Amino acid sequence: MLTLKALAERFGLPYRGDPGTPVHGIGTLANAGPGQLAFLANGKYAGQLADTKASVVVLSEAEADACPCACLISANPYTSFALISVLFDDGDDLPTGVHPTAVIAASAAVAPGARIGPYTVVGERAVIAAGAQLHAHTHVGTDCVVGEDCVLMPKVTLVKRVRLGRRVRVHSGAVLGADGFGIAFHDGHWTKIAQLGGVAIGDDCEIGANTTIDRGAIEDTVLENDVRLDNQIQIGHNVRIGAHTAIAGCVAVAGSTRIGRWCLIGGAAGIVGHIEIGDRITVGAMSLVTHSLREPGEYASGTPIQPKGEWRRNAARFARLDAMARELNTLKKSRD
Amino acid sequence: MLTLKALAERFGLPYRGDPGTPVHGIGTLANAGPGQLAFLANGKYAGQLADTKASVVVLSEAEADACPCACLISANPYTSFALISVLFDDGDDLPTGVHPTAVIAASAAVAPGARIGPYTVVGERAVIAAGAQLHAHTHVGTDCVVGEDCVLMPKVTLVKRVRLGRRVRVHSGAVLGADGFGIAFHDGHWTKIAQLGGVAIGDDCEIGANTTIDRGAIEDTVLENDVRLDNQIQIGHNVRIGAHTAIAGCVAVAGSTRIGRWCLIGGAAGIVGHIEIGDRITVGAMSLVTHSLREPGEYASGTPIQPKGEWRRNAARFARLDAMARELNTLKKSRD
Amino acid sequence: MLTLKALAERFGLPYRGDPGTPVHGIGTLANAGPGQLAFLANGKYAGQLADTKASVVVLSEAEADACPCACLISANPYTSFALISVLFDDGDDLPTGVHPTAVIAASAAVAPGARIGPYTVVGERAVIAAGAQLHAHTHVGTDCVVGEDCVLMPKVTLVKRVRLGRRVRVHSGAVLGADGFGIAFHDGHWTKIAQLGGVAIGDDCEIGANTTIDRGAIEDTVLENDVRLDNQIQIGHNVRIGAHTAIAGCVAVAGSTRIGRWCLIGGAAGIVGHIEIGDRITVGAMSLVTHSLREPGEYASGTPIQPKGEWRRNAARFARLDAMARELNTLKKSRD
């Protein structure tokens, strides 16, 4: 059983309250009960502090006086909560060893200490490093490498020439290394361009459920270290994403685009192909990026959500906005 | 063999024509042939009625005189057609029992009368109720519950702590209960927040192919009863969706947002996190909802589709719309 | 080992340089080394030609004089490169025959010469033609047909009544033939409309990873020959897509819409249901098509990406654009 004092010491945080307060789980400010730890990081929820039934709250010094129970004080309560939360994760480790139903190619190399679940398939010349976990129904195709301590959740597919660094976590349904979308029109029909590259994923990346990352046409599609992708993201062939960039769900990045480091891409945004996005750039949800962005900062596109009648009238005006601007210019000139 | 009279009695609908008219299948107004039943619910297709070769048409009383064949008269032909259509579904039931290739954890509980297909995996402490069907390659992870008469189509994945009510239908490739996208920046890199909640799905929900519903960070992600999700939808952690809400394909809902009852969300719309959408709200296709909406009604955002040259000129003007508005104000003032 | 001369003869291209120049692989202009062939098709990369270390470059006649190494001259270097690229693909063919773990229904017909991988499932009355490849974990459901020389990559799912022509290539995670999203409101809750149609895919189509194509409600959802779909596309029930149309990733097409031949649909575009898009129409990335488009040409919608502060001011003005237009009209009248 963890106690307030044990948590305070482990994470180097000052605390208030009975050092022996037991903490056996996590709850929200609104619904936590005795023995649970909650956190307050978003001012929006500050009103819930007074009535919390949590035993311990992680919060900033400014909120500590208003806390009705024991607390841990942090300059960054959200991050402190993140670090504490993993102590309460029950994990889901496979047993060490290879499930008897796994189909592993003779030329594949599986390290002792890897954990391979039922109905997994490991292809020719694939390498599975020590500590890696392949959950049920995962497919590690030809010439793929799964680095140390990677976790492939059920039904992950690495198609071909996909190399994962260490501690990469890939969620169910993700497909890495499928053919990039390369076609050329020839003689009245489409002809396919062979996709001869691979996918290279750095250390500590996370890839969300049903996300797709195509392999490169000639060279590799690359994610540098510590890139975090949410669910249902599409990364086209030969894209390169810089270290520490985080991308929210349903974003589409077209081929050969480069995204810098420490970028934050909002949900369902689109980024066209063959452009460059610099470091420390934030793109708003559902924005479409049609040209390179080099200056750090926040960018957005789109129009506000409105009641449909209002929106329809405004949208109709947009359709002749250029004419309207020219009329305005004429008026200005006539006045001058 | 069904007859006109049998259908009329079963669904309480008046009819015209020979009561013994046989009905052995369903067709469209334009292409149905003898023995087939068609329906007319959308005025757009009324012109096809005169030439239909169907044996029976389901339609409103107002259209009955124009019908060249037997008909069933309904105040709501679309709904009556829906109810009739299921009589012609050939189903696709698995045989009762557990396929010998299924891998079922010792601590899981599978009810007699459940149907478990080939290459399914059922994890620790999972519960499969009577009448539930797990088609091939489904994965029911640790601490998941599949309620009575649920159908999990091939390759559905319930990752962890997912509880389905009764009669829930989940389509192929859907992933429920993957880690929510919770990360915090710490010491120069991202640190993961453990996702300790689950997913709770009410009775009679339907979840489309390749849709993803993440499990909650602390509490559960919730779908109330009779929620209908199309394909490729992304539901972030701790979202709550009210009963009878229907969401079209490719919609993205970010974390901790609440959507009310009887809402209709159009295809590929986006809804940001931590907001509230009230009951009976309709959101247009590809609209982005950036703040809470409380008043029932229809909402939309975006600009009209236009020939690219026109669009480009209008979009360029949008980029300085604020300046244009200020110029207009200056002109107005100078006139006053 | 291929040589410059062998390639020139095989593809009918003039060349410059030593005919015996060996070519053992493909590289980019910037990074190719000795023995590798590169191409120059996009003017953007012309500056890389002078310093290329490739042994052979495929390029247009106009660029040939500037080429520092041997070259193949083509009126369409991109297409010539496409045709050459496939010579360097290492393929990934399964061995002929049926893997012992495949579960094949007694009523299914598998041609001699088909290749069936591990943990595949083939349902009742399904037909697998000669030369077809079903990679690991594929599911070919009831009444499906896989034509000659089709390739189903790992974890493809054909749910029900899906018929593929010849040489169709379907990528991992794609789901074809799931229930269309057909529901009708009845008596306080949603009732499901049986989805009685199928999916018919023509010859030479390609379907991207995690793409979904629903089966029709009554008639089939149809892709004509040589349709090319990228990843994570959603095709609703009863959509029809004309021959040679190519659709980029993350596009959503709602039910019963018809798209013509030789169309190009940009990434993440949305197309509402029950409309018609004619032949030779190009739709811009992330555009929303809300009505039928008949005139060939390019179409787009949306607003430009901008720094967030500027965008916010412009978007606020959009929200009252109609009022602004009326003010402008008043000013015009008062001047006249």
Side-chain angles (χ1 to χ4, degrees):
Chain A
M1 176 70 75
L2 288 161
T3 61
L4 176 61
K5 180 153 180 267
L7 289 171
E9 287 177 353
R10 183 162 186 155
F11 297 102
L13 301 174
Y15 68 92
R16 299 190 191 175
D18 176 355
T21 307
V23 178
H24 59 68
I26 300 277
T28 58
L29 265 190
N31 297 325
Q36 289 188 313
L37 172 143
F39 74 105
L40 173 57
N42 182 338
K44 200 168 170 175
Y45 299 109
Q48 299 176 350
L49 183 60
D51 297 326
T52 192
K53 300 286 176 291
S55 288
V56 177
V57 179
V58 185
L59 39 59
S60 65
E61 182 139 35
E63 309 277 9
D65 285 347
C67 186
C69 59
C71 60
L72 286 159
I73 297 170
S74 168
N76 190 338
Y78 190 63
T79 296
S80 295
F81 170 73
L83 296 171
I84 293 169
S85 72
V86 298
L87 303 181
F88 295 93
D89 200 359
D90 54 357
D92 209 8
D93 287 345
L94 292 168
T96 304
V98 178
H99 194 277
T101 60
V103 172
I104 299 185
S107 59
V110 177
R115 299 157 189 255
I116 314 275
Y119 301 130
T120 48
V121 173
V122 178
E124 299 294 341
R125 297 177 301 278
V127 176
I128 313 294
Q133 296 197 40
L134 274 51
H135 283 265
H137 300 115
T138 51
H139 181 100
V140 177
T142 309
D143 294 314
C144 291
V145 176
V146 178
E148 281 171 36
D149 300 321
C150 284
V151 178
L152 274 52
M153 295 298 287
K155 290 202 193 79
V156 163
T157 304
L158 310 186
V159 180
K160 201 175 172 175
R161 288 192 291 269
V162 178
R163 297 183 307 285
L164 308 182
R166 290 166 297 174
R167 299 172 302 277
V168 174
R169 193 173 174 91
V170 188
H171 292 282
S172 295
V175 177
L176 279 63
D179 287 11
F181 194 55
I183 53 177
F185 209 72
H186 171 62
D187 208 11
H189 61 85
W190 293 106
T191 191
K192 190 171 167 63
I193 299 170
Q195 301 294 302
L196 307 171
V199 175
I201 306 283
D203 295 342
D204 300 304
C205 290
E206 183 157 11
I207 315 289
N210 283 354
T211 280
T212 49
I213 305 178
D214 281 348
R215 69 179 195 274
I218 298 176
E219 300 178 342
D220 290 344
T221 304
V222 177
L223 270 64
E224 295 177 6
N225 293 340
D226 194 32
V227 170
R228 306 289 171 143
L229 302 187
D230 193 1
N231 297 347
Q232 297 206 39
I233 290 169
Q234 152 68 2
I235 304 294
H237 53 181
N238 298 104
V239 166
R240 183 177 190 104
I241 303 181
H244 313 299
T245 283
I247 303 188
C250 302
V251 166
V253 184
S256 300
T257 278
R258 298 172 71 103
I259 299 178
R261 299 181 168 206
W262 300 288
C263 291
L264 300 171
I265 312 295
I271 303 181
V272 305
H274 294 272
I275 66 171
E276 270 189 61
I277 297 190
D279 294 342
R280 299 186 188 278
I281 281 178
T282 295
V283 173
M286 267 181 90
S287 299
L288 174 63
V289 184
T290 49
H291 55 75
S292 294
L293 300 175
R294 296 209 168 77
E295 196 64 32
E298 293 185 57
Y299 296 83
S301 70
T303 78
I305 187 82
Q306 295 191 281
K308 195 169 178 182
E310 288 176 43
W311 166 78
R312 200 197 300 270
R313 285 189 293 276
N314 293 326
R317 298 293 186 176
F318 177 92
R320 54 180 303 287
L321 189 56
D322 182 52
M324 200 170 137
R326 281 185 278 109
E327 288 166 14
L328 179 61
N329 286 340
T330 303
L331 272 185
K332 276 167 57 188
K333 276 184 203 139
S334 76
R335 196 203 52 159
D336 296 342
Chain B
M1 176 69 74
L2 288 161
T3 62
L4 176 60
K5 183 154 179 262
L7 288 171
E9 288 176 352
R10 182 162 187 158
F11 297 102
L13 300 174
Y15 68 92
R16 298 190 191 175
D18 176 357
T21 306
V23 178
H24 59 68
I26 300 278
T28 59
L29 265 190
N31 297 326
Q36 289 189 311
L37 174 143
F39 75 106
L40 173 57
N42 182 338
K44 200 167 169 176
Y45 299 109
Q48 299 176 349
L49 182 61
D51 295 326
T52 191
K53 298 288 176 291
S55 288
V56 176
V57 178
V58 185
L59 39 59
S60 66
E61 183 139 34
E63 307 279 8
D65 285 348
C67 185
C69 60
C71 60
L72 285 160
I73 296 171
S74 168
N76 190 337
Y78 190 62
T79 297
S80 296
F81 170 75
L83 297 170
I84 293 169
S85 72
V86 297
L87 303 180
F88 296 93
D89 200 358
D90 54 358
D92 210 7
D93 288 344
L94 292 168
T96 304
V98 177
H99 195 278
T101 59
V103 172
I104 300 185
S107 59
V110 177
R115 299 158 189 256
I116 313 275
Y119 301 129
T120 49
V121 173
V122 177
E124 297 296 339
R125 298 177 301 280
V127 176
I128 314 293
Q133 296 197 40
L134 273 53
H135 283 266
H137 300 114
T138 52
H139 181 99
V140 177
T142 308
D143 294 314
C144 290
V145 176
V146 178
E148 284 173 34
D149 301 321
C150 284
V151 178
L152 274 53
M153 296 298 288
K155 290 201 194 81
V156 163
T157 303
L158 310 186
V159 179
K160 201 173 173 177
R161 289 193 289 270
V162 178
R163 298 182 308 284
L164 307 182
R166 291 166 297 175
R167 298 173 303 277
V168 174
R169 194 174 174 91
V170 188
H171 291 282
S172 295
V175 177
L176 279 63
D179 286 12
F181 193 57
I183 53 178
F185 210 72
H186 171 64
D187 208 13
H189 60 85
W190 293 106
T191 190
K192 189 168 168 64
I193 300 170
Q195 301 293 302
L196 306 171
V199 175
I201 306 283
D203 296 341
D204 300 304
C205 290
E206 184 158 8
I207 314 289
N210 284 355
T211 281
T212 49
I213 305 179
D214 281 348
R215 69 179 195 274
I218 298 176
E219 301 179 341
D220 290 344
T221 304
V222 177
L223 271 63
E224 296 177 5
N225 293 340
D226 195 30
V227 170
R228 306 288 172 142
L229 302 188
D230 194 1
N231 297 348
Q232 298 206 38
I233 289 169
Q234 152 69 0
I235 305 294
H237 54 180
N238 298 105
V239 166
R240 183 177 190 104
I241 303 181
H244 313 299
T245 282
I247 303 188
C250 303
V251 165
V253 184
S256 299
T257 278
R258 298 172 70 104
I259 300 178
R261 299 181 168 205
W262 301 287
C263 291
L264 300 171
I265 311 296
I271 303 181
V272 305
H274 294 272
I275 65 170
E276 270 190 62
I277 297 190
D279 294 342
R280 299 187 188 280
I281 281 178
T282 295
V283 173
M286 268 179 89
S287 299
L288 174 63
V289 184
T290 49
H291 55 75
S292 293
L293 301 175
R294 296 207 167 79
E295 196 64 33
E298 294 185 56
Y299 296 83
S301 71
T303 77
I305 186 83
Q306 295 192 282
K308 195 169 178 182
E310 287 176 44
W311 166 78
R312 200 197 301 268
R313 283 188 296 275
N314 294 325
R317 297 294 187 176
F318 177 93
R320 56 179 303 284
L321 189 55
D322 181 52
M324 199 169 137
R326 282 185 279 107
E327 288 166 13
L328 179 60
N329 286 341
T330 303
L331 272 185
K332 275 167 59 187
K333 277 186 203 137
S334 75
R335 195 204 50 161
D336 296 340
Chain C
M1 177 68 75
L2 288 161
T3 61
L4 177 60
K5 181 153 181 265
L7 288 171
E9 288 175 353
R10 183 162 186 156
F11 296 102
L13 301 173
Y15 67 91
R16 299 190 190 175
D18 176 357
T21 306
V23 178
H24 59 68
I26 300 278
T28 58
L29 265 190
N31 296 327
Q36 289 189 312
L37 173 144
F39 75 104
L40 173 57
N42 182 339
K44 200 167 170 176
Y45 299 109
Q48 299 177 349
L49 183 60
D51 296 325
T52 191
K53 298 287 177 292
S55 288
V56 176
V57 178
V58 185
L59 40 58
S60 66
E61 183 138 32
E63 308 278 9
D65 284 348
C67 185
C69 59
C71 60
L72 286 160
I73 296 170
S74 167
N76 190 337
Y78 190 62
T79 297
S80 295
F81 170 73
L83 297 170
I84 292 169
S85 72
V86 297
L87 303 180
F88 295 93
D89 199 359
D90 54 358
D92 210 6
D93 288 344
L94 293 167
T96 304
V98 177
H99 195 277
T101 60
V103 172
I104 299 184
S107 60
V110 177
R115 299 158 189 255
I116 314 276
Y119 301 129
T120 49
V121 173
V122 177
E124 298 295 340
R125 297 177 301 279
V127 176
I128 314 294
Q133 296 199 40
L134 274 54
H135 283 265
H137 300 114
T138 53
H139 181 99
V140 176
T142 309
D143 294 314
C144 291
V145 177
V146 178
E148 283 172 32
D149 300 322
C150 284
V151 178
L152 274 54
M153 295 299 286
K155 290 201 195 78
V156 164
T157 304
L158 310 186
V159 180
K160 201 173 173 178
R161 289 192 291 271
V162 178
R163 298 183 307 285
L164 307 182
R166 291 167 296 176
R167 298 173 302 277
V168 174
R169 193 172 174 92
V170 188
H171 292 282
S172 295
V175 177
L176 279 62
D179 287 13
F181 193 57
I183 53 177
F185 209 73
H186 171 62
D187 209 11
H189 60 85
W190 292 106
T191 190
K192 189 169 166 65
I193 299 170
Q195 301 294 302
L196 306 171
V199 175
I201 306 283
D203 296 341
D204 300 304
C205 290
E206 184 156 10
I207 314 290
N210 283 354
T211 280
T212 49
I213 305 178
D214 281 348
R215 68 179 194 274
I218 298 176
E219 300 179 341
D220 291 344
T221 303
V222 177
L223 270 63
E224 294 177 5
N225 293 339
D226 195 31
V227 170
R228 306 289 171 143
L229 302 187
D230 195 0
N231 296 348
Q232 298 206 38
I233 290 169
Q234 151 69 0
I235 305 293
H237 53 179
N238 298 104
V239 166
R240 182 176 191 104
I241 303 180
H244 313 301
T245 283
I247 303 188
C250 302
V251 165
V253 184
S256 299
T257 278
R258 299 172 69 103
I259 299 177
R261 300 180 167 205
W262 301 288
C263 291
L264 300 171
I265 312 295
I271 303 182
V272 304
H274 294 271
I275 65 170
E276 270 190 60
I277 296 190
D279 295 341
R280 299 187 187 280
I281 281 177
T282 295
V283 173
M286 267 181 91
S287 299
L288 174 64
V289 184
T290 49
H291 55 75
S292 293
L293 300 175
R294 296 208 167 79
E295 196 65 33
E298 293 184 56
Y299 296 83
S301 71
T303 78
I305 187 83
Q306 294 191 282
K308 196 170 178 182
E310 288 176 44
W311 166 78
R312 201 197 300 266
R313 285 189 295 275
N314 293 324
R317 298 293 186 175
F318 177 93
R320 54 178 304 284
L321 189 55
D322 181 52
M324 198 171 137
R326 281 186 279 109
E327 289 166 12
L328 178 60
N329 285 341
T330 304
L331 272 185
K332 275 167 59 189
K333 275 185 203 138
S334 75
R335 194 204 52 161
D336 295 341

